[in-house]
Amino acid sequence: MSNTMKLTLKIWRQKGPKDSGKLVDYPVDHVSPDMSFLEMLDVLNEQLVEKGEEPVAFDHDCREGICGMCSLVINGRAHGPQTGVTTCQLHMRSFKDGDTIYIEPFRANSFPVIKDLAVDRGAFDRIIQAGGYVSVNTGAAQDANNLPVNKNDADKAFSAATCIGCGACVATCKNASAMLFVSAKVSQLALLPQGKVEAQDRVLNMVHQMDLEGFGNCTNTGACEVECPKGISLDNIARMNREYMVASLKKEN
Amino acid sequence: MKTSIARKILMALSGLFLLLFLFQHFIINSLSVISADAFNSASHFMGYNPIIQFIIQPILLFAVIFHLVMGIVLEAKNRKARSVKYAVNGAAANSTWMSRNMIITGLTVLAFLGLHFYDFWFPEIGYKYVEFGPEDPGRYFGELQHKFVNPVRVALYCTAFIFLALHLLHGFQSSFQSVGFRHNRYTPAIKKLGNIYAIAIPLGFIVIALFHYVSLLN
């Protein structure tokens, strides 16, 4: 444990949705470079509990980079300084001894803070409920070969489907726009034969819900694509713009 | 107009139209360097052709006003989407300055447009449609030169075009993305073309202004 680090954390503390919140300093010592960022926060929380203080609330679940539950804006970057990883996959070796680290929640009015660093990303669930599915009635699944899918389309659909819905795109966008998320969810279905049937209603309904939730507008800065832990491409946003244009022109009422 | 994507597409289409306008404006202005007569006859054609004056000009005015009003409205909406700002913002790591500051570059261009209208468009419209001045196909070159005597005006003119270049470095390629035109074969070419356009055209306007300023010094 010779090369442990001493850090100063500036963590956003907010008692509840109505509290105004503020950054609070926490010195932490003996941080191993092999710890994940969340493990480092666990250590801090254990210390806080021992001292009888309120631990820092933060979201996490699988800690394998696939569930989309962890969040955090670390030193101004969603999921921290690395690209292509979630906060749980970020390790303390990305920081240096003596560093000051700012830890803030994903900020967007559509993602209200529940407590400290935990935010309510229910807006994403409501967007999915507005059309991010294929309506399937009962019956056995048919033979897969009945629905030929171009390999290229299948690959693009799969890439879009790797979106874990973490909300880093919203957190990092200067406009708090949810376009990358929504476009991934529109694309993963629009590219496949099962999803094409409802593609037009889907894009209209999901965009409508996205606007209702109060997300900002996309200005093509491309920040979302850079910060997305799954590398979801801006191709999806262009596809959604196309799908939306066609759907709104064809719409009958 | 009611949804975010519809507004985004209209913003892009009006921007693309303005890019076309800027290009023809540049071509005509560059004639002033080559030949005063050619500049005069092109200007006279633009100023008295009924299709250009009464159909294209109103469309252009509408596009300018739409683009600026929508730009300001969208900026206001976007700011409202995040009321608590980040204490530390690492935006420089994931996006260009140009893409994040379209409102600043846009408003600077708008301010210049005010000066430009005051210098050229209002006198021109006043001459033709208020005073009903006689057609004078040889007046344009002199009017142009007259505006490039004052070094302060030339400096403002050049500064405005630098901001326009910054605006177009993002705007050109962004408008293609907004209308959904993105393809792994064509998009890299569009981005290159956009960068060339965004630098060459404003630089051309600056060179023309400096050319007239310097030629009038002697």
Side-chain angles (χ1 to χ4, degrees), chain A residues 188-245:
Chain A
Q188 66 182 17
L189 299 174
L191 285 161
L192 298 176
Q194 296 93 331
K196 278 205 173 105
V197 183
E198 296 167 297
Q200 291 189 2
D201 287 338
R202 176 181 308 115
V203 69
L204 293 173
N205 292 337
M206 289 179 79
V207 169
H208 177 65
Q209 187 64 36
M210 173 181 84
D211 289 347
L212 282 183
E213 297 290 346
F215 291 104
N217 302 277
C218 172
T219 54
N220 303 327
T221 68
C224 53
E225 184 185 44
V226 175
E227 299 293 358
C228 173
K230 297 296 157 186
I232 301 295
S233 164
L234 290 183
D235 290 353
N236 294 299
I237 296 185
R239 182 178 298 107
M240 179 161 78
N241 292 342
R242 283 198 298 276
E243 295 265 335
Y244 184 86
M245 210 172 353

Side-chain angles (χ1 to χ4, degrees), chain A residues 104 107 211 220 235 242 244, chain B residues 3-4 82 87 174 180 182:
Chain A
E104 297 176 80
R107 293 201 189 281
D211 289 347
N220 303 327
D235 290 353
R242 283 198 298 276
Y244 184 86
Chain B
T3 67
S4 56
R82 177 178 292 128
S174 173
R182 188 180 172 94

Side-chain angles (χ1 to χ4, degrees), chain A residues 41-73:
Chain A
L41 288 178
D42 291 337
V43 170
L44 170 74
N45 274 347
E46 279 170 16
Q47 290 171 2
L48 291 177
V49 170
E50 274 173 26
K51 281 195 272 182
E53 290 179 31
E54 187 74 13
V56 179
F58 62 91
D59 276 323
H60 61 100
D61 191 10
C62 76
R63 300 205 179 196
E64 292 180 336
I66 53 172
C67 76
M69 198 60 207
C70 60
S71 55
L72 306 187
V73 168

Side-chain angles (χ1 to χ4, degrees), chain B residues 12-198:
Chain B
L13 291 176
S14 56
L16 283 169
F17 179 73
L18 294 177
L19 283 171
L20 284 176
F21 161 74
L22 189 72
F23 185 71
Q24 70 80 25
H25 197 325
F26 170 72
I27 296 295
I28 292 179
N29 277 25
S30 53
L31 290 177
S32 73
V33 174
I34 302 161
S35 142
D37 288 343
F39 178 73
N40 277 333
S41 54
S43 301
H44 191 71
F45 171 78
M46 296 304 280
Y48 284 89
N49 183 297
I51 293 174
I52 288 166
Q53 280 297 298
F54 302 118
I55 297 175
I56 302 194
Q57 182 165 258
I59 295 174
L60 173 66
L61 270 181
F62 176 77
V64 170
I65 293 168
F66 178 86
H67 195 77
L68 84 90
V69 170
M70 189 55 92
I72 293 169
V73 168
L74 288 175
E75 177 71 18
K77 277 178 181 286
N78 292 343
R79 282 179 186 229
K80 262 204 329 217
R82 177 178 292 128
S83 32
V84 183
K85 307 287 175 215
Y86 288 111
V88 178
N89 191 337
N94 54 40
S95 52
T96 62
W97 186 91
M98 286 77 83
S99 71
R100 281 177 275 122
N101 292 285
M102 291 298 272
I103 190 72
I104 293 173
T105 52
L107 288 176
T108 312
V109 173
L110 174 65
F112 167 73
L113 215 54
L115 175 70
H116 200 58
F117 270 45
Y118 172 78
D119 273 356
F120 292 102
W121 197 73
F122 290 131
E124 180 66 21
I125 294 298
Y127 181 81
K128 278 191 300 209
Y129 304 122
V130 181
E131 296 167 26
F132 296 104
E135 279 195 33
D136 176 6
R139 66 190 163 92
Y140 307 96
F141 188 74
E143 288 173 2
L144 171 91
Q145 278 199 318
H146 176 69
K147 296 297 178 197
F148 291 121
V149 175
N150 183 346
V152 175
R153 185 181 259 108
V154 174
L156 283 176
Y157 190 94
C158 296
T159 312
F161 275 102
I162 292 170
F163 277 87
L164 180 65
L166 294 171
H167 198 72
L168 298 183
L169 278 170
H170 176 67
F172 190 104
Q173 49 109 349
S174 173
S175 54
F176 284 87
Q177 165 79 1
S178 288
V179 296
F181 190 90
R182 188 180 172 94
H183 189 281
N184 59 7
R185 257 181 33 223
Y186 309 119
T187 297
I190 287 172
K191 285 188 177 172
K192 262 189 208 141
L193 180 69
N195 289 345
I196 293 169
Y197 184 103

Side-chain angles (χ1 to χ4, degrees), chain A residues 125-178:
Chain A
D125 297 333
R126 292 186 288 276
I127 292 172
I128 294 292
Q129 283 161 11
Y133 50 81
V134 172
S135 305
V136 179
N137 296 322
T138 52
Q142 60 179 319
D143 187 87
N145 292 327
N146 285 345
L147 285 172
V149 181
N150 180 309
K151 173 76 167 78
N152 204 13
D153 289 342
D155 287 349
K156 286 180 186 163
F158 186 82
S159 292
T162 58
C163 166
I164 52 177
C166 65
C169 45
V170 174
T172 204
C173 175
K174 80 183 243 298
N175 310 321
S177 167

Side-chain angles (χ1 to χ4, degrees), chain B residues 201-215:
Chain B
I201 301 288
L203 188 66
F205 276 102
I206 290 173
V207 168
I208 293 167
L210 293 177
F211 172 83
H212 289 297
Y213 176 70
V214 172
S215 68

